[in-house]
Amino acid sequence: MSEISSSISTSDIAVGEYSFQVSQSGTPGNEAILWLHGSGPGATALSNWEKALLAFGDRYHCIAPDIIGFGDSTHPTDPPRGMRAFGDLRVATLLGLLDTLGLDRVHLVGNSMGGMLSVLMTLAAPDRFDRIVLMGSGGAPVPPTPDLIKMVSFYDDPSVEAMEDLLTRFVYEPATFGDELRQIAEARLPRVTRADVRRSHLATFDFAAGPPIGFTPEQLATIEQNVLIVHGRDDRIIPVAASYWFLEHLPHAELHVFGQCGHWTQIEQPDRFHATLAAFLNLDLTARSTS
């Protein structure tokens, strides 16, 4: 087991024939949150959730896996083709991870692709989940944006420059990050150019093998959990209209839209995101931080 900081530990956990790299914070036995990251070349649990694990670890048991086909978790040598087929494997293995960790019921926080997986998991095993957070989630009947298509087709011409350009499309104002996006691009490229990572990406987004994951109003109407929907108003990857659609069809949902924010709510506006999530989970981080 390795440590990212004094509060986050990372280890490999076997689930059947698969292995997850899982980052955790907090104390087992506390209320648990399963954090599911988004897709894209080089995406990992910590690239999405490091700040959140630090913010919530003193109250919750936080579990953030690299989803199968991402990061340093298993990349199948012959992966399912298409988003739904690969998604079914990811749902099954994530439910298996909860079983392995002895977690009967958790809160779910899903970003982008992780939001779609959160909905799929809830439909498959509704008794396993308490409160649910969908962040810029796909799965609504909205057309793909040019920037999403750019992400999907990244391997047409992978390079540091292409990665830096892609990262600028995820945020509202790239200039506020200074040289950080370039540094992230340079740090990600060795992982992105691994053959196993490339294989998983191309299998996930093989639309010739099947359509993208989509949900119907009838499916969403069966979800009884309280759902917090979070979206950046200026998201160029998944338009905010997608979250308004989820709000319309989820029976117990509320929507919080962050202005001057793109697809990376938890990275662009972490303090506001943490406060919004804490309120939804009935935890007052502001009061605690001043005590």
Side-chain angles (χ1 to χ4, degrees), residues 119-162:
V119 175
L120 288 174
M121 292 173 73
T122 304
L123 293 172
D127 293 340
R128 304 296 298 269
F129 306 108
D130 193 348
R131 300 195 173 202
I132 299 168
V133 182
L134 305 179
M135 303 171 57
S137 178
V142 296
T145 65
D147 296 287
L148 178 61
I149 293 171
K150 189 76 173 179
M151 185 272 286
V152 168
S153 60
F154 173 80
Y155 283 98
D156 289 352
D157 183 26
S159 65
V160 170
E161 291 73 23

Side-chain angles (χ1 to χ4, degrees), residues 11-23 34-40 42-45 64-98 100 113-114 117 121 191 194 196-205 213:
S11 61
D12 294 326
I13 298 177
V15 176
E17 64 184 288
Y18 301 96
S19 177
F20 282 96
Q21 179 164 278
V22 183
S23 295
L34 180 64
W35 306 80
L36 300 181
H37 62 78
S39 66
T44 64
D66 288 355
I67 295 165
I68 297 301
F70 288 91
D72 290 318
S73 291
T74 296
H75 293 263
T77 55
D78 185 19
R81 308 296 300 186
M83 186 174 287
R84 181 56 193 255
F86 215 150
D88 288 342
L89 173 63
R90 287 164 171 152
V91 166
T93 52
L94 286 166
L95 291 172
L97 176 64
L98 296 182
T100 300
M113 177 198 71
L117 294 177
M121 292 173 73
R191 181 189 302 279
R194 280 173 22 192
D196 58 346
V197 174
R198 181 179 185 275
R199 180 176 66 240
S200 292
H201 179 96
L202 294 179
T204 297
F205 296 108
I213 295 171

Side-chain angles (χ1 to χ4, degrees), residues 119-266:
V119 175
L120 288 174
M121 292 173 73
T122 304
L123 293 172
D127 293 340
R128 304 296 298 269
F129 306 108
D130 193 348
R131 300 195 173 202
I132 299 168
V133 182
L134 305 179
M135 303 171 57
S137 178
V142 296
T145 65
D147 296 287
L148 178 61
I149 293 171
K150 189 76 173 179
M151 185 272 286
V152 168
S153 60
F154 173 80
Y155 283 98
D156 289 352
D157 183 26
S159 65
V160 170
E161 291 73 23
M163 175 61 73
E164 183 180 13
D165 174 70
L166 179 61
L167 295 177
T168 66
R169 300 165 187 264
F170 278 77
V171 299
Y172 170 70
E173 181 47 78
T176 62
F177 288 84
D179 294 332
E180 187 177 356
L181 296 181
R182 177 72 179 192
Q183 293 168 6
I184 294 172
E186 292 173 346
R188 279 195 180 190
L189 200 68
R191 181 189 302 279
V192 168
T193 53
R194 280 173 22 192
D196 58 346
V197 174
R198 181 179 185 275
R199 180 176 66 240
S200 292
H201 179 96
L202 294 179
T204 297
F205 296 108
D206 183 355
F207 296 119
I213 295 171
F215 304 108
T216 67
E218 292 76 19
Q219 287 176 307
L220 297 187
T222 68
I223 294 177
E224 293 297 327
Q225 284 84 351
N226 290 315
V227 181
L228 171 66
I229 306 167
V230 175
H231 215 118
R233 182 194 63 198
D234 309 289
D235 192 337
R236 297 167 56 184
I237 304 297
I238 303 291
V240 70
S243 282
Y244 280 102
W245 184 84
F246 279 111
L247 177 67
E248 179 181 358
H249 296 293
L250 286 164
H252 308 289
E254 58 186 90
L255 171 63
H256 191 107
V257 177
F258 289 82
Q260 297 185 321
C261 186
H263 194 59
W264 279 348
T265 309
Q266 77 279 20

Side-chain angles (χ1 to χ4, degrees), residues 19-58:
S19 177
F20 282 96
Q21 179 164 278
V22 183
S23 295
Q24 300 185 63
S25 65
T27 303
N30 287 349
E31 284 185 72
I33 305 174
L34 180 64
W35 306 80
L36 300 181
H37 62 78
S39 66
T44 64
L46 285 177
S47 71
N48 275 216
W49 303 125
E50 184 172 2
K51 291 181 179 179
L53 296 187
L54 294 172
F56 287 87
D58 61 347

Side-chain angles (χ1 to χ4, degrees), residues 56 131 228 273-285:
F56 287 87
R131 300 195 173 202
L228 171 66
F273 168 67
H274 295 160
T276 302
L277 177 56
F280 179 67
L281 297 175
N282 295 317
L283 171 63
D284 189 346
L285 284 176

